[in-house]
């Protein structure tokens, strides 16, 4: 199916409730999904929750709930918040769904049959925060760089191992050679370089089962062990399609992830797929992180920003706009409520909102009619380029610095309030058509606002209305 497009977000751990880190990934995935739909693609957009493993089991215990009851509770919070941000996922997968569990068992069985799984002993330092063994080179000041407050646990177990090393030459070739039958892309370029360097430096096989963690899917041929939570989680991208009976969407067009989980998505997942004889995803995009007012976002610092907080303050499209313009595409991006409010007032209340109400008022006062024209050319070339390069921050900046400000300038130069008759009609018709095109451009980013503008400006008569973005 050539016309299809499959995009995924990471599935989020339920040990935590949603914060703006999860939110930005999911909003951007929604923008990509909406953009691809505008291009005429049939889109499947997947998100969900990652519910097995030690970390989730420990969080459940803390709340004195069974793991399943705890997961049911938190998964709902994730599933319910996304629609409030106008995020239109097609399916919400939960790894505790028995249908997912069945697919995981099936895939693992296949990998086992292929001779890629063996038994061995593992000893190492485990970070429960990351749910992975940490290598010597990753350790910073004695702890995990992502979870400095969580002590590393020395673990030694007999486990099932996957022959990751065996696949390294194929993976390097598949990444580097665009003509390779399994070619896939890793973006941005700097992240691809990092993955290749690590692959070339040498990779060990990985343990894919745990004997000490009971909250997981049993290994099909050895019920004394459970499937390592990362293997279980990665397989969601495929199992979700099987559950929905639309495997034709495989392989995924984009796995959108944060930089800390790129290795799993760009190496481990592909090796598992190769072993299971399935096609590889086409592209993995790893974005960077938000920091809050110069600091790492963390519960212990008490600086975590939730999507609910943003929604209350800035509304749905205000939130989408602020997250997208600060999207940490290449590097970490520093945000904070003060910065958000400034930007909201400048770009939305004074910028777009003011422009729309100004033109509507002029049109209303003129009493004239403004017929709708067909305009198929939506995005400028440069706008298309940055969108396709995942630079949603640049895309919105460009729309504001060219489209929004050009219409503003036109009004100031042409001073329609001093004109009448044909001259006024011509000036306003131009500005109204430009606003109509602007609304089309805003569709993937700010769907509600785009719809409101389209409705208000559909003509032939245009009326003024309440401000789109009340000043804060
Ligand atoms: N459960 C795994 C993913 C399994 S995917 C098969 C996991 N979950 S998580 O809840 O920790 O979510 C990680 C994702 O949240 C990141 O990849 C990123 O998308 C997002 N973010 C978490 N913190 C973030 C920031 N501070 N800034 C931006 N995004 C961040 O890992």
């Amino acid at each position: 199916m050539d016309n299809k497009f499959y995009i995924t977000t990471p599935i989020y751990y339920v040990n935590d409730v949603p914060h703006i880190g999860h939110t930005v990934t999911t909003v951007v995935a929604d923008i990509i999904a909406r953009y691809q739909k505008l291009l005429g693609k049939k889109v499947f957009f997947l998100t969900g929750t990652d519910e097995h493993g030690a970390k989730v089991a420990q969080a459940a215990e803390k709340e004195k709930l069974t793991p399943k009851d705890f997961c049911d509770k938190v998964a709902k919070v994730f599933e319910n918040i996304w629609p409030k941000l106008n995020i239109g996922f097609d399916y919400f997968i939960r790894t505790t769904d028995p249908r997912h569990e069945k697919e995981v068992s099936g895939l693992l069985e296949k990998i086992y049959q292929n001779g890629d799984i063996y038994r061995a002993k593992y000893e190492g330092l485990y970070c429960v925060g990351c749910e992975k063994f940490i290598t010597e080179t990753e350790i910073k000041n004695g702890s995990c760089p992502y979870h400095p407050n969580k002590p590393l646990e020395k673990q030694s177990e007999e486990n099932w191992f996957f022959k990751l090393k065996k696949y390294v030459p194929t993976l390097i070739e598949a990444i580097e050679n665009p003509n390779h039958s399994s070619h896939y892309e890793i973006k941005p370029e700097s992240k691809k370089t990092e993955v290749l360097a690590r692959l070339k430096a040498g990779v060990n096989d990985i343990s894919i089962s745990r004997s000490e963690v009971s909250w997981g899917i049993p290994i099909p041929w050895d019920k004394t062990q459970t499937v390592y939570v990362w293997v279980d989680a990665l397989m969601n991208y495929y199992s979700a399609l099987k559950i929905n009976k639309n495997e034709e969407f495989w392989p995924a067009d984009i796995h959108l992830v944060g930089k800390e989980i790129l290795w799993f998505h760009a190496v481990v997942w592909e090796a598992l797929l190769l072993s299971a004889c399935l096609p590889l995803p086409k592209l993995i995009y790893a974005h960077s992180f938000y920091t809050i007012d110069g600091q790492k976002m963390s519960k212990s610092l008490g600086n975590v920003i939730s999507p609910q907080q943003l929604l209350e303050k800035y509304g749905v499209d205000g939130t989408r706009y602020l997250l997208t313009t600060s999207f940490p595409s290449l590097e970490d991006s520093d945000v904070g409520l003060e910065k958000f409010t400034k930007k909201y007032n400048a770009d939305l209340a004074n910028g777009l909102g003011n422009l729309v109400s100004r033109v509507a008022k002029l049109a209303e006062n003129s009493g004239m009619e403004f017929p709708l024209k067909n305009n198929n050319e939506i995005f400028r070339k440069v706008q298309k380029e940055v969108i396709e390069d995942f630079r949603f921050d640049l895309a919105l900046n460009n729309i504001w610095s060219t489209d929004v400000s050009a219409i503003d300038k036109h009004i100031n130069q042409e001073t329609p309030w001093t004109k009448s008759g044909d001259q006024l009609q011509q000036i306003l018709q131009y500005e109204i058509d430009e606003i109509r095109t602007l609304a089309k451009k805003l569709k993937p980013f700010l769907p509600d606002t785009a719809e409101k503008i389209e409705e208000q400006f559909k003509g032939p008569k245009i009326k003024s209305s309440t401000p789109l973005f009340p000043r804060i």
Side-chain angles (χ1 to χ4, degrees):
M1 206 181 18
D2 269 352
N3 199 32
K4 62 98 194 154
F5 190 89
Y6 179 28
I7 178 156
T8 69
T9 72
I11 48 171
Y12 305 110
Y13 286 128
V14 288
N15 71 303
D16 208 352
V17 287
H19 56 59
I20 59 165
H22 311 116
T23 313
V24 73
T25 314
T26 320
V27 164
V28 163
D30 183 66
I31 293 171
I32 299 173
R34 286 176 190 271
Y35 178 76
Q36 292 295 332
K37 276 186 206 160
L38 272 185
L39 296 184
K41 294 271 174 76
K42 196 167 169 226
V43 176
F44 193 76
F45 168 17
L46 179 73
T47 188
T49 40
D50 188 354
E51 307 186 5
H52 288 128
K55 171 149 107 167
V56 171
Q58 285 172 10
E61 208 177 299
K62 249 199 199 152
E63 291 214 8
K64 301 202 167 44
L65 287 173
T66 64
K68 182 68 172 84
D69 285 346
F70 175 76
C71 291
D72 288 348
K73 189 178 110 182
V74 187
K76 276 235 150 55
V77 182
F78 277 93
E79 194 170 356
N80 291 340
I81 190 72
W82 302 143
K84 297 207 171 97
L85 284 140
N86 224 335
I87 292 169
F89 55 81
D90 292 292
Y91 188 65
F92 188 95
I93 187 159
R94 298 184 51 190
T95 54
T96 50
D97 183 330
R99 294 169 300 174
H100 164 79
E101 297 179 345
K102 190 177 139 240
E103 289 305 327
V104 170
S105 303
L107 280 175
L108 266 188
E109 195 81 67
K110 217 165 152 189
I111 295 169
Y112 187 49
Q113 302 297 334
N114 267 352
D116 283 340
I117 291 177
Y118 62 94
R119 211 175 156 88
K121 194 174 163 128
Y122 195 89
E123 241 183 46
L125 290 171
Y126 195 82
C127 171
V128 178
C130 291
E131 289 279 18
K132 68 168 195 176
F133 284 102
I134 302 277
T135 59
E136 287 299 330
T137 46
E138 286 173 310
I139 295 177
K140 295 233 160 68
N141 305 323
S143 47
C144 161
Y146 290 106
H147 302 94
N149 301 327
K150 277 207 169 87
L152 293 169
E153 290 174 10
K154 198 167 177 108
Q155 293 188 351
S156 157
E157 312 185 346
E158 273 265 322
N159 291 146
W160 293 98
F161 275 68
F162 170 63
K163 294 184 181 168
L164 179 61
K165 201 174 171 172
K166 165 179 161 186
Y167 289 97
V168 168
T170 313
L171 293 178
I172 295 176
E173 176 76 12
I175 298 168
E176 285 185 331
N177 177 3
N179 299 319
H180 191 275
S181 57
S182 295
H183 175 63
Y184 62 103
E185 288 186 72
I186 301 171
K187 282 188 173 172
E189 193 64 24
S190 59
K191 294 287 181 280
K192 172 173 144 182
T193 310
E194 272 173 38
V195 168
L196 280 171
R198 207 171 139 189
L199 279 171
K200 288 175 184 171
V203 171
N204 291 325
D205 290 346
I206 57 161
S207 154
I208 53 136
S209 76
R210 310 300 313 282
S211 65
E212 304 291 325
V213 180
S214 58
W215 182 235
I217 304 171
I219 291 282
W221 59 90
D222 173 9
K223 305 282 186 228
T224 67
Q225 304 239 347
T226 56
V227 178
Y228 172 40
V229 62
W230 262 104
V231 171
D232 167 356
L234 288 166
M235 290 177 174
N236 93 86
Y237 300 129
Y238 185 69
S239 73
L241 297 184
K242 294 281 270 193
I243 292 171
N244 283 282
K245 299 201 173 39
N246 53 7
E247 296 105 292
E248 71 276 13
F249 275 95
W250 192 258
D253 291 82
I254 300 176
H255 290 316
L256 188 65
V257 300
K259 63 179 177 182
E260 86 287 22
I261 56 174
L262 175 61
W263 184 255
F264 284 107
H265 282 84
V267 172
V268 178
W269 180 217
E270 283 69 16
L272 290 167
L273 286 167
L274 285 173
S275 174
C277 302
L278 284 168
L280 305 191
K282 295 181 196 158
L283 190 155
I284 324 297
Y285 188 93
H287 65 75
S288 290
F289 266 31
Y290 273 145
T291 54
I292 313 285
D293 298 318
Q295 282 181 307
K296 186 177 161 8
M297 178 165 63
S298 89
K299 269 195 241 174
S300 49
L301 289 173
N303 63 355
V304 177
I305 302 178
S306 73
Q308 288 90 343
Q309 252 174 299
L310 298 186
L311 279 170
E312 271 168 36
K313 218 169 161 161
Y314 309 112
V316 182
D317 281 350
T319 302
R320 289 176 69 107
Y321 181 81
L322 295 170
L323 293 179
T324 311
T325 46
S326 60
F327 179 54
S329 42
L330 299 184
E331 277 163 18
D332 287 356
S333 161
D334 193 52
V335 295
L337 292 178
E338 218 173 289
K339 276 191 204 160
F340 278 154
T341 302
K342 256 199 196 142
K343 187 135 183 87
Y344 171 95
N345 280 332
D347 295 2
L348 296 177
N350 298 344
L352 178 66
N354 196 32
L355 169 72
V356 166
S357 53
R358 227 172 142 196
V359 176
K361 189 119 214 112
L362 287 162
E364 186 177 51
N365 291 345
S366 75
M368 295 170 172
E369 295 199 339
F370 302 95
L372 203 57
K373 283 191 208 144
N374 253 345
N375 177 3
N376 291 327
E377 201 43 58
I378 306 179
F379 291 101
R380 292 169 207 275
K381 189 164 164 273
V382 47
Q383 291 169 343
K384 255 193 220 145
E385 277 167 12
V386 287
I387 291 176
E388 274 156 29
D389 200 28
F390 298 83
R391 296 303 309 270
F392 305 100
D393 47 345
L394 296 185
L396 284 179
N397 283 344
N398 190 282
I399 294 174
W400 258 251
S401 66
T402 54
D403 303 81
V404 174
S405 70
I407 312 173
D408 250 335
K409 235 196 212 143
H410 192 266
I411 304 175
N412 296 341
Q413 274 168 3
E414 301 294 329
T415 59
W417 52 90
T418 64
K419 307 277 160 57
S420 62
D422 278 359
Q423 222 187 353
L424 176 63
Q425 170 92 42
Q426 237 176 32
I427 296 169
L428 288 181
Q429 181 75 51
Y430 172 83
E431 288 160 3
I432 287 161
D433 287 340
E434 286 298 290
I435 287 189
R436 287 166 175 162
T437 309
L438 176 62
K440 284 198 185 134
K441 292 191 194 205
L442 293 180
K443 268 188 183 167
F445 304 97
L446 315 177
D448 268 356
T449 305
E451 210 183 295
K452 278 189 203 158
I453 300 177
E454 277 193 335
E455 184 54 34
Q456 190 181 2
F457 282 76
K458 73 173 188 283
K461 288 252 183 206
I462 291 165
K463 282 206 182 81
S464 58
S465 169
T466 48
L468 285 172
F469 299 98
R471 232 192 116 76
I472 297 174

